[in-house]
Amino acid sequence: MAGIDGSMAHLSDGLFTTAIAVYALAMVGYTAEYAFGRVGRKTTAAVPARELVGAGGPPVGESRPAVPGLTGTSKAEMIGRWSVVATVLGALIHGGSIAVRALAVDAVPWSNMYEFASVAGLVGILAFLGVLWRLPTLRHLGGFVLFPVILTMFLAGTVLYSKAQPLVPALQSYWLAIHVTLVSIAEGALMTSAVLTVLYLIRSRHDHRSADAAGYRPGRVGTLAAKLPAAETLDKAAYRVVAFSFPLYTVAVICGAIWAEAAWGRYWGWDPKETWAFIVWVIYAGYLHARATAGWKGRAAAWINLAGFGAITFNFLIVNIVVSGLHSYAGLS
């Protein structure tokens, strides 16, 4: 394989696999904090004290206070903090995998589905760490964010895997570094936004059922939903990620059009990939517009956000694999 450093490519694959293992370990830690940490104890701590009347409990109408020294609580939160450290370590290893792959192929390493999924997964992790920087109370939700990233990386390393190979002539342009970098950053971050939106919908549904139904007793899903942060917090975090990603995606589409003119002599030709990129852009533009319209805030706008990520997933998997067009660079045999 001319022009390819096989040993570096092998090292990159090893780092990629190691990153998945570290992310999986961090996911287990986040899940432990979610289940057993102080946040996970809130539903128990808020049980009405009327159940304890006659058994030495506090007066009727008061709530049972949380017990600071509750066994497992401090340990769970310590595990949560170490999970953040593991996530950062995994991101460094993951970034190392991408950098070594670049050295192996002597080009930017996102010319096929495997490489693009790897970069998008790393951006999803970085987006979550960025959210934690502003909203550290969301730390225990790390398992929900890491799961789709790990799943994406697993599919990339198995079904979508492509050996390191030189760039095809059509991709030998500086526009590859600009256009695809912006797309991968935007779509990786939007994956994190989609996860936060799903959690928002779960929490919002739980809140509405609790407020509307007299004597409502949450089942297992309701109990899990009660451990989530406030619906407003999740909704705001999801919106901020989209507000960050949408301008990048817009610039990526514009850069892609400029690259298309240089490569094919036209800015826009309604190629399947171009068409779905435009559909994604319209949906997220509609989401941001809906957020600015009082009647479309909350759950209605959240569904638009999920529709946008559904369109991204369709564009990445179905259009790349099933539909043939000028953008057929999946790298699959």
Side-chain angles (χ1 to χ4, degrees), residues 277-288:
F278 178 70
I279 291 173
V280 170
W281 185 90
V282 169
I283 293 175
Y284 277 108
Y287 168 76
L288 293 176

Side-chain angles (χ1 to χ4, degrees), residues 20-21 83 89 109 121 178 187 193 198 222 246 278 307 311 323:
I20 294 178
S83 296
L89 176 61
I178 301 173
E187 295 188 358
S193 176
V198 170
F246 183 74
F278 178 70
V323 183

Side-chain angles (χ1 to χ4, degrees), residues 29-96:
Y30 288 126
T31 304
E33 183 183 21
Y34 178 81
F36 305 112
R38 183 175 297 132
V39 176
R41 303 282 183 173
K42 283 185 177 179
T43 53
T44 303
V47 173
R50 65 175 66 92
E51 299 177 5
L52 302 179
V53 174
V60 176
E62 294 184 9
S63 297
R64 184 192 310 172
V67 182
L70 192 60
T71 303
T73 300
S74 59
K75 291 182 179 179
E77 292 175 354
M78 183 178 297
I79 291 174
R81 289 192 290 269
W82 277 107
S83 296
V84 176
V85 175
T87 304
V88 173
L89 176 61
L92 292 174
I93 297 173
H94 193 170

Side-chain angles (χ1 to χ4, degrees), residues 262-300:
W264 303 317
R266 88 299 189 272
Y267 290 100
W268 198 268
W270 296 106
D271 178 79
K273 196 76 173 176
E274 296 172 346
T275 301
W276 274 96
F278 178 70
I279 291 173
V280 170
W281 185 90
V282 169
I283 293 175
Y284 277 108
Y287 168 76
L288 293 176
H289 176 71
R291 291 285 311 202
T293 305
W296 281 87
K297 289 182 179 179
R299 294 175 61 87

Side-chain angles (χ1 to χ4, degrees), residues 10-276:
H10 182 71
L11 175 60
S12 173
D13 293 344
L15 291 172
F16 180 84
T17 304
T18 303
I20 294 178
V22 176
Y23 287 151
L25 182 63
M27 184 179 71
V28 172
Y30 288 126
T31 304
E33 183 183 21
Y34 178 81
F36 305 112
R38 183 175 297 132
V39 176
R41 303 282 183 173
K42 283 185 177 179
T43 53
T44 303
V47 173
R50 65 175 66 92
E51 299 177 5
L52 302 179
V53 174
V60 176
E62 294 184 9
S63 297
R64 184 192 310 172
V67 182
L70 192 60
T71 303
T73 300
S74 59
K75 291 182 179 179
E77 292 175 354
M78 183 178 297
I79 291 174
R81 289 192 290 269
W82 277 107
S83 296
V84 176
V85 175
T87 304
V88 173
L89 176 61
L92 292 174
I93 297 173
H94 193 170
S97 169
I98 295 171
V100 173
R101 179 88 170 192
L103 295 175
V105 300
D106 193 25
V108 289
W110 38 82
S111 61
N112 52 58
M113 292 183 70
Y114 163 71
E115 295 172 351
F116 183 89
S118 178
V119 174
L122 176 60
V123 173
I125 294 293
L126 296 178
F128 173 65
L129 292 174
V131 170
L132 285 187
W133 183 265
R134 297 296 302 270
L135 298 169
T137 55
L138 301 184
R139 184 183 64 205
H140 63 290
L141 303 182
F144 296 101
V145 176
L146 285 180
F147 177 75
V149 172
I150 293 173
L151 179 61
T152 299
M153 293 178 67
F154 175 78
L155 292 175
T158 54
V159 180
L160 306 178
Y161 180 75
S162 178
K163 293 182 178 180
Q165 53 191 326
L167 291 177
V168 298
L171 296 179
Q172 294 176 3
S173 169
Y174 61 88
W175 284 110
L176 174 67
I178 301 173
H179 170 64
V180 183
T181 298
L182 292 173
V183 172
S184 60
I185 292 175
E187 295 188 358
L190 290 171
M191 177 168 57
T192 298
S193 176
V195 172
L196 293 172
T197 297
V198 170
L199 297 179
Y200 158 75
L201 289 171
I202 294 173
R203 178 65 198 229
S204 177
R205 181 174 181 271
H206 169 74
D207 291 346
H208 279 84
R209 294 189 64 181
S210 299
D212 296 341
Y216 167 65
R217 290 183 175 274
R220 181 174 299 180
V221 176
T223 301
L224 293 175
K227 299 177 183 180
L228 296 173
E232 183 180 355
T233 301
L234 292 168
D235 186 39
K236 185 180 297 183
Y239 166 72
R240 287 177 176 176
V241 175
V242 175
F244 164 80
S245 305
F246 183 74
L248 297 180
Y249 191 85
T250 301
V251 175
V253 172
I254 295 173
C255 290
I258 297 173
W259 187 9
E261 196 279 330
W264 303 317
R266 88 299 189 272
Y267 290 100
W268 198 268
W270 296 106
D271 178 79
K273 196 76 173 176
E274 296 172 346
T275 301
W276 274 96

